């Protein structure tokens, strides 16, 4: 059942299982833009997911994407770029609430991501192809996350003067060892095996087996009581056989990454990565992205991961909201989007020429907003529950 009267950037369908229960399927349908997440898409997904959560006939929800190239390559930044330029030319270029579009987009995107993390029913996210930035934000909180042989996960925000948002402060801190920090600083892309190792995915299933998996969804004994277990067992029956030939740079270099990123200060960590002499092409690309990325983004990312280590998921989304709107005021984010997406010259002129030029006061300024202290109740995301852990479905196999 498609949402009548609304643009079809997201398609909705309900399939009836043999026992009468229904499977809700949401399909990102912006294939030409690699399913980049727009405000329109967020505004379609949010109410439909709420309806499915409240409908006892819906057993599980499936989140997938059209096309073979991408689940979602991130957020739709072109409109955001224009609004950042408009604010820079306005009478209030430093007003954190002066960009209405940015405020609306990030509030609703983060609210949607949080709902997925805390959804009361199983969500199967099929992450085929590119899964980056906002795409990871959609997928990270799903209870059952599938990666395929073509999946490529990355949080490359350092290349656009941003930081890994959409809950990145939460899930990067919960990866094994120091790989979350390494992936954030280098924007390194990883495949299915490493995504599972890094806790960004749960199952690797061949894309060719997707029709069989979806057909099997209609034959399961959904009851509303242990549907997470039913879905887990179904997915486990379709796992891709383990192969020693599969490239797994994260697990292969795990000890080295921990050694590099366990140094006590960010300059020491960055210098160690940049000084690394390796014939590993993946490590070389990671170092190259860090070298070309925004020094300010590196410093901000490091500060966020430290500040967010013991925060609840709700607190992290509220913190990221303030930080992201401050990013929209600063030159690096706008310049990074220009260089990578608008003009595509890949020659950004960052505010800081090196990490040594980034001051602590400059970084601390990103955490200042109008919703702190006595004004916390007015935060746009104040109503998110403040549980110390996301309300996740417990899976017993």
């Amino acid at each position: 059942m498609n949402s009548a009267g609304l643009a079809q950037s997201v398609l909705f369908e309900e399939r009836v299982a043999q026992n009468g229960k229904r499977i809700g399927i949401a399909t990102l349908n912006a294939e030409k833009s690699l399913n980049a997440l727009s405000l329109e898409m967020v505004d379609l997904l949010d109410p439909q997911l709420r309806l499915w959560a409240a409908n006892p006939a819906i057993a599980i929800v499936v989140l997938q994407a059209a096309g073979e190239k991408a689940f979602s390559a991130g957020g739709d930044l072109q409109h955001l770029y224009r609004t950042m330029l408009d604010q820079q030319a306005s009478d209030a270029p430093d007003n954190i609430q002066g960009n209405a579009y940015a405020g609306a987009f990030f509030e609703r995107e983060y609210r949607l991501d949080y709902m997925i993390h805390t959804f009361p029913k199983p969500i199967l996210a099929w992450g085929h192809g590119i899964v980056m930035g906002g795409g990871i934000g959609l997928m990270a909180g799903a209870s059952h996350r599938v990666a395929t042989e073509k999946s490529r996960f990355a949080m490359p925000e350092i290349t656009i003067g941003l930081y890994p948002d959409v809950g990145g402060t939460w899930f990067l801190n919960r990866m094994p060892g120091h790989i979350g920090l390494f992936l954030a600083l280098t924007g390194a892309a990883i495949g299915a095996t490493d995504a599972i190792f890094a806790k960004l995915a749960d199952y690797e299933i061949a894309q060719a087996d997707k029709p069989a998996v979806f057909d099997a969804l209609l034959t399961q004994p959904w009851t509303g009581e242990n549907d997470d277990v039913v879905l887990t067992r179904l997915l486990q029956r379709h796992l891709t056989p383990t192969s020693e030939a599969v490239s797994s740079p994260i697990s292969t270099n795990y000890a080295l990454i921990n050694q590099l990123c366990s140094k006590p200060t960010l300059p020491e960590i960055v210098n160690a990565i940049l000084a690394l002499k390796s014939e590993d092409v993946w490590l070389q690309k990671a170092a190259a992205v860090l070298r070309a990325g925004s020094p300010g983004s590196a410093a901000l990312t490091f500060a966020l991961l430290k500040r967010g280590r013991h925060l609840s998921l709700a607190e992290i989304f509220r913190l990221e909201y303030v930080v992201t709107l401050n990013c929209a005021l600063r030159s690096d984010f706008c310049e990074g989007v220009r260089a990578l997406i608008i003009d595509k010259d890949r020659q950004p002129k960052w505010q800081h020429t090196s990490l040594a030029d980034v001051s602590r006061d400059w970084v601390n300024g990103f955490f200042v907003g109008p919703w702190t202290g006595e004004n916390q109740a007015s935060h746009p995301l104040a109503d998110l529950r403040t549980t110390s852990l996301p309300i996740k479905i417990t899976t017993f196999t």
Side-chain angles (χ1 to χ4, degrees), residues 243-262:
S243 171
E244 295 182 0
V246 172
S247 174
S248 180
I250 282 286
S251 54
T252 299
N253 296 295
Y254 182 63
L256 174 60
I257 290 171
N258 276 337
Q259 177 186 345
L260 296 170
C261 294
S262 63

Side-chain angles (χ1 to χ4, degrees), residues 92-130:
D94 299 322
N95 180 6
I96 193 174
Q97 295 175 287
N99 187 330
Y101 177 81
F105 178 80
F106 290 111
E107 176 194 344
R108 296 178 201 173
E109 181 188 22
Y110 293 176
R111 188 177 294 280
L112 174 63
D113 292 339
Y114 184 82
M115 177 169 50
I116 292 172
H117 274 276
T118 59
F119 204 71
K121 299 176 181 180
I123 294 184
L124 166 59
W126 194 276
H128 178 62
I130 299 169

Side-chain angles (χ1 to χ4, degrees), residues 221-389:
W222 309 113
T223 64
E225 296 295 328
N226 64 338
D227 291 343
D228 56 322
V229 177
V230 172
L231 181 56
T232 296
R233 288 178 173 156
L234 186 161
L235 296 174
Q236 287 179 340
R237 290 196 293 270
H238 290 85
L239 292 177
T240 300
T242 302
S243 171
E244 295 182 0
V246 172
S247 174
S248 180
I250 282 286
S251 54
T252 299
N253 296 295
Y254 182 63
L256 174 60
I257 290 171
N258 276 337
Q259 177 186 345
L260 296 170
C261 294
S262 63
K263 299 184 182 301
T265 69
L266 179 61
E268 290 174 285
I269 293 169
V270 170
N271 289 338
I273 296 173
L274 296 183
L276 185 64
K277 305 296 183 184
S278 173
E279 295 182 358
D280 187 313
V281 175
W282 183 82
L283 287 174
Q284 291 173 0
K285 289 182 178 179
V289 171
L290 173 57
R291 182 176 289 107
S294 163
S297 289
L300 178 58
T301 296
F302 188 72
L304 262 166
L305 290 178
K306 291 184 68 174
R307 289 190 183 219
R309 191 170 297 151
H310 302 297
L311 296 182
S312 71
L313 182 63
E315 289 168 333
I316 280 175
F317 275 116
R318 285 192 281 270
L319 176 64
E320 289 188 354
Y321 183 74
V322 174
V323 173
T324 303
L325 290 190
N326 275 309
C327 286
L329 295 176
R330 310 291 183 101
S331 61
D332 272 6
F333 188 19
C334 193
E335 172 64 7
V337 174
R338 180 207 64 77
L340 189 68
I341 298 173
I342 306 300
D343 296 337
K344 300 181 181 179
D345 59 24
R346 296 184 177 270
Q347 296 295 322
K349 296 178 175 58
W350 303 125
Q351 181 176 349
H352 305 93
T353 58
S354 70
L355 193 59
D357 296 332
V358 183
S359 71
R360 180 175 298 179
D361 287 343
W362 185 84
V363 172
N364 288 339
F366 284 87
F367 298 91
V368 178
W371 309 291
T372 57
E374 296 180 355
N375 298 319
Q376 292 183 48
S378 65
H379 194 295
L381 297 175
D383 59 322
L384 300 186
R385 293 187 296 273
T386 55
T387 50
S388 59
L389 291 172

Side-chain angles (χ1 to χ4, degrees), residues 33-98:
S33 66
L34 299 179
N35 297 308
L37 190 65
S38 65
L39 183 57
E40 175 186 72
M41 295 165 79
V42 171
D43 286 346
L44 287 167
L45 283 164
D46 187 283
Q48 186 62 59
L49 289 182
R50 292 181 188 279
L51 286 174
W52 281 339
N55 185 350
I58 298 293
I60 70 166
V61 170
V62 177
L63 185 57
Q64 62 172 357
E68 292 296 313
K69 293 183 178 179
F71 171 74
S72 175
D76 181 2
L77 297 176
Q78 299 207 24
H79 190 181
L80 180 63
Y81 174 75
R82 292 192 293 271
T83 65
M84 289 192 289
L85 288 181
D86 289 343
Q87 184 171 10
Q88 289 176 6
S90 73
D91 295 332
D94 299 322
N95 180 6
I96 193 174
Q97 295 175 287

